[in-house]
Amino acid sequence: MEEVLLLGIKDKQGYLSFWNDNISYALRGCILIELALRRRIGIVRDPGRKRLPLPERMVTVLSTRQTGETLLDETLKMMKQTEDAGEKMGVGTWIDLLSGETWNVLKIGFQLKQVRERLAKGLVDKGVLRTEKRNFLLFDMATHPVADAHVKASVVNRVVALLTSGTTAVPPSALDAPGVQCRVLRAVCLACTAYTASVLDNAFGRLGYEEREAAFGRCDEILGEFGTWPFGGGGGPEPKRKPRIAMGSAGVDVGRESIRGLVTAVRSEAVGGDEDAGFELVAGVLEVLSKLDSLL
């Protein structure tokens, strides 16, 4: 969540684009992804679930152990209380409720408040951002310019490395620090959620026009492969952009080979293969976010 927000924040001004309607919804999806990667939630292991679209498959709490992150623990507690009350809800429904996208007045309390501000304050506490007051004509607003440019640069470098790789093997420069759980899937989720949150272009400042278009096309394809279950099934949405095909010296489609390498690496991180409840939930979230423009 913090990395997606960091990509969206303007370095010197310290705020997000006023025209970005996607990031709030995408951040709620990131919360579910983070809980799934930490093995706190997953998809209910019901054989009949495969008849349902991914976004409609029921979410269950696998562990109530605290994460130490307020937003994550608040969401986890809410999910557990709902489940204990005898109600289970699908992936898409949870993202809608956490975002406040509901007409049901009984569900309004599920909305997570001030997610962007709370994430920004967390980054301030970590020394990544700082807080300033800026005057916007009629009112003053707290902004959060970047204080540690190296942290943001490392996030940008990882995203760019993943989306411009010309090899089948996942480049180490695209991955988080060694020891982090599910490093390859985290790299995929960072790129895909940044793309659906409309902040990915902020990572491409140093790329030329052709490289930017190729990177966007690559991310679209990755989202299509990982927004389906099992991963790599190719059942995701049609790409929004027509990808520019880059061929290697042997006439190999470099982009496709790189994505196949990603799928293989992520599958090796799964627990129980295609029965990994957490990874299946991640696929469901990515499918929901892939349709974000039409939802909003």
Side-chain angles (χ1 to χ4, degrees):
M1 301 106 57
E2 292 177 337
E3 290 173 336
V4 171
L5 183 77
L6 191 56
L7 285 175
I9 284 179
K10 300 175 187 293
D11 290 10
K12 294 180 180 178
Q13 293 91 335
Y15 53 82
L16 298 158
S17 169
F18 292 121
W19 314 113
N20 190 338
D21 293 328
N22 290 6
I23 191 166
S24 290
Y25 195 87
L27 285 174
R28 270 67 173 193
C30 290
I31 289 172
L32 294 191
I33 288 174
E34 186 64 46
L35 285 171
L37 292 178
R38 296 190 186 203
R39 304 296 179 183
R40 300 304 196 276
I41 60 175
I43 295 294
V44 175
R45 311 316 299 157
D46 175 10
R49 75 187 187 283
K50 296 180 180 178
R51 294 194 296 268
L52 297 172
L54 266 174
E56 295 179 18
R57 297 181 188 179
M58 298 296 113
V59 178
T60 186
V61 175
L62 304 176
S63 169
T64 56
R65 186 163 53 88
Q66 297 277 293
T67 66
E69 300 280 350
T70 306
L71 278 170
L72 297 181
D73 291 337
E74 188 178 319
T75 305
L76 187 62
K77 181 180 178 182
M78 198 185 307
M79 289 181 147
K80 182 60 176 172
Q81 288 174 343
T82 304
E83 192 171 315
D84 288 345
E87 185 177 9
K88 282 191 171 73
M89 294 184 286
V91 178
T93 302
W94 269 115
I95 301 176
D96 284 344
L97 292 178
L98 294 175
S99 304
E101 300 287 334
T102 178
W103 292 102
N104 187 341
V105 293
L106 299 177
K107 302 290 187 183
I108 291 176
F110 284 86
Q111 181 182 6
L112 289 176
K113 306 289 177 57
Q114 298 181 310
V115 169
R116 286 180 290 182
E117 183 64 21
R118 290 162 71 182
L119 287 172
K121 286 181 178 177
L123 288 169
V124 170
D125 292 340
K126 294 176 182 178
V128 179
L129 303 177
R130 65 179 186 275
T131 301
E132 293 180 356
K133 289 282 186 181
R134 290 178 69 95
N135 181 266
F136 289 87
L137 296 178
L138 300 176
F139 58 92
D140 289 333
M141 187 177 83
T143 60
H144 304 287
V146 174
D148 189 340
H150 295 293
V151 174
K152 183 164 183 177
S154 71
V155 176
V156 169
N157 291 339
R158 279 191 278 129
V159 172
V160 171
L162 184 78
L163 299 179
T164 58
S165 169
T167 62
T168 303
V170 181
S173 56
L175 303 178
D176 214 326
V180 173
Q181 202 173 20
C182 308
R183 293 171 73 205
V184 183
L185 184 54
R186 281 185 179 278
V188 168
C189 290
L190 172 60
C192 289
T193 52
Y195 179 49
T196 58
S198 300
V199 299
L200 189 58
D201 54 336
N202 296 346
F204 294 158
R206 66 175 188 242
L207 300 181
Y209 175 77
E210 294 285 333
E211 292 173 307
R212 284 168 65 93
E213 287 299 298
F216 274 121
R218 176 84 63 86
C219 194
D220 225 12
E221 289 187 86
I222 290 172
L223 184 57
E225 295 296 334
F226 285 90
T228 184
W229 186 257
F231 291 140
E238 288 296 314
K240 298 175 187 175
R241 299 166 181 257
K242 186 176 180 180
R244 298 174 182 272
I245 299 175
M247 293 291 182
S249 57
V252 176
D253 180 348
V254 175
R256 291 304 309 163
E257 288 301 310
S258 173
I259 293 171
R260 288 193 191 99
L262 270 179
V263 171
T264 301
V266 169
R267 282 178 171 171
S268 71
E269 293 179 333
V271 177
D274 293 348
E275 293 301 311
D276 190 314
F279 280 26
E280 187 173 346
L281 190 149
V282 170
V285 173
L286 292 180
E287 182 175 343
V288 172
L289 296 184
S290 71
K291 300 172 182 174
L292 190 50
D293 287 334
S294 59
L295 286 173
L296 295 176

